[in-house]
Amino acid sequence: MTTSPGAAQSKRVSVVLPVYNTGGCLRELYQRLKTTLESAGYDFELLMVEDGGRDNAWEILNELAARDTRIKAMQLSRNFGQHPAIAAAFENVTGDIVILMDADLQDRPEDIPLLLAKLSKDIHIVFSIKQGSQESFSTRLTSRLYHYVFSKLTRTTVPRDIGTFRAFSREFLDAVMAYPERNILFGPLMFHVGFQAETVTVAHDERKNGKSGYSFSKRLKLALDSILSYTDLPHRLLLNA
């Protein structure tokens, strides 16, 4: 049973956005988030973490935060990567419901109500499935291959074309943050913790500004880190050596 719109709107929504070289679309992103969440009647905050990029994103975040106190603008001392930026935001969340999304407008702010409508007292996390993805063929291929291999090694079902865009309860976030890992990869960890999940299919638009910070080598490193952290494959290999 899904929650009624009134029940969902009575809860505070925290939107987490790691920012890396996407200064050119931040004003549009803010305006679309503000319009969507205000029109739907949500009490909300925007946690925007600048991850040591090379553009003017930090200046724009400060400008936006000066205009709207619902924006929490944070800056890392250097480029640590998407997952440390997300962790910094998670540590400062005050909402009952959390939205995680990219800041390049490939995830549509207008789709947030679709994810929130799927949350309920039984469903603690809603993942997005990307439809009509505008990513390059090589990016889509490596992403699908990674999720396929991870599913097989961990004996979990990771949906094809799963996106960063997702909504989850405070209870779910607390469970994730209770893990002692120092180099957290939130994608695999959110499957690892359990909890009943749902999916919703949403459009995935073309990147409005900048380019992906994930090179092939970075994707490979993430894949190896997740296999080492969330599977027993290394132990099995050592035992059978």
Side-chain angles (χ1 to χ4, degrees):
M1 180 180 69
T2 57
T3 55
S4 66
Q9 290 165 4
S10 66
K11 296 183 177 181
R12 183 170 173 80
V13 175
S14 298
V15 184
V16 169
L17 300 125
V19 175
Y20 181 69
N21 289 338
T22 54
C25 64
L26 289 179
R27 292 186 181 90
E28 179 183 347
L29 172 65
Y30 161 70
Q31 191 58 53
R32 289 171 62 181
L33 284 166
K34 178 175 178 289
T35 298
T36 298
L37 293 166
E38 286 184 346
S39 297
Y42 292 107
D43 175 29
F44 68 92
E45 64 177 356
L46 308 178
L47 296 97
M48 309 176 88
V49 184
E50 200 282 313
D51 182 27
R54 299 179 298 278
D55 65 357
N56 63 341
W58 181 238
E59 295 174 16
I60 296 172
L61 288 181
N62 277 296
E63 170 198 317
L64 294 173
R67 288 163 42 192
D68 192 333
T69 58
R70 294 171 296 188
I71 294 177
K72 291 182 179 178
M74 294 170 273
Q75 185 182 42
L76 302 187
S77 59
R78 63 170 176 82
N79 175 230
F80 284 90
Q82 182 186 37
H83 294 272
I86 292 171
F90 281 174
E91 290 174 358
N92 290 277
V93 159
T94 64
D96 308 293
I97 297 172
V98 183
I99 300 287
L100 173 61
M101 62 191 299
D102 289 327
D104 55 14
L105 287 175
Q106 288 189 286
D107 299 327
R108 295 180 177 180
E110 295 78 13
D111 289 331
I112 286 176
L114 298 178
L115 275 69
L116 294 179
K118 289 270 190 177
L119 287 174
S120 70
K121 63 182 180 64
D122 298 315
I123 305 299
H124 284 271
I125 182 164
V126 179
F127 296 99
S128 69
I129 305 299
K130 296 181 288 188
Q131 184 180 56
S133 176
Q134 300 298 314
E135 294 171 331
S136 67
F137 173 76
S138 61
T139 298
R140 295 198 307 272
L141 180 62
T142 54
S143 179
R144 289 179 182 179
L145 181 60
Y146 162 69
H147 287 123
Y148 174 79
V149 172
F150 183 81
S151 295
K152 293 299 182 183
L153 291 175
T154 59
R155 301 178 182 88
T156 58
T157 301
V158 179
R160 177 179 172 179
D161 292 326
I162 190 169
T164 299
F165 195 16
R166 58 197 61 181
F168 44 92
S169 66
R170 181 69 199 221
E171 182 180 350
F172 183 89
L173 175 62
D174 289 343
V176 167
M177 297 303 286
Y179 273 67
E181 281 83 354
R182 297 182 66 87
N183 297 315
I184 293 179
L185 299 176
F186 287 102
L189 180 57
M190 286 183 175
F191 280 99
H192 188 72
V193 297
F195 287 85
Q196 193 166 341
E198 273 281 1
T199 61
V200 61
T201 300
V202 297
H204 197 241
D205 287 347
E206 186 176 357
R207 187 184 302 274
K208 287 290 185 78
N209 180 245
K211 62 180 182 178
S212 174
Y214 281 113
S215 62
F216 177 79
S217 60
K218 286 185 178 180
R219 288 180 181 275
L220 179 60
K221 182 180 184 301
L222 279 176
L224 292 175
D225 286 346
S226 61
I227 289 171
L228 291 172
S229 299
Y230 299 104
T231 77
D232 60 355
L233 178 62
H235 302 0
R236 298 206 309 266
L237 291 175
L238 286 172
L239 290 173
N240 293 327

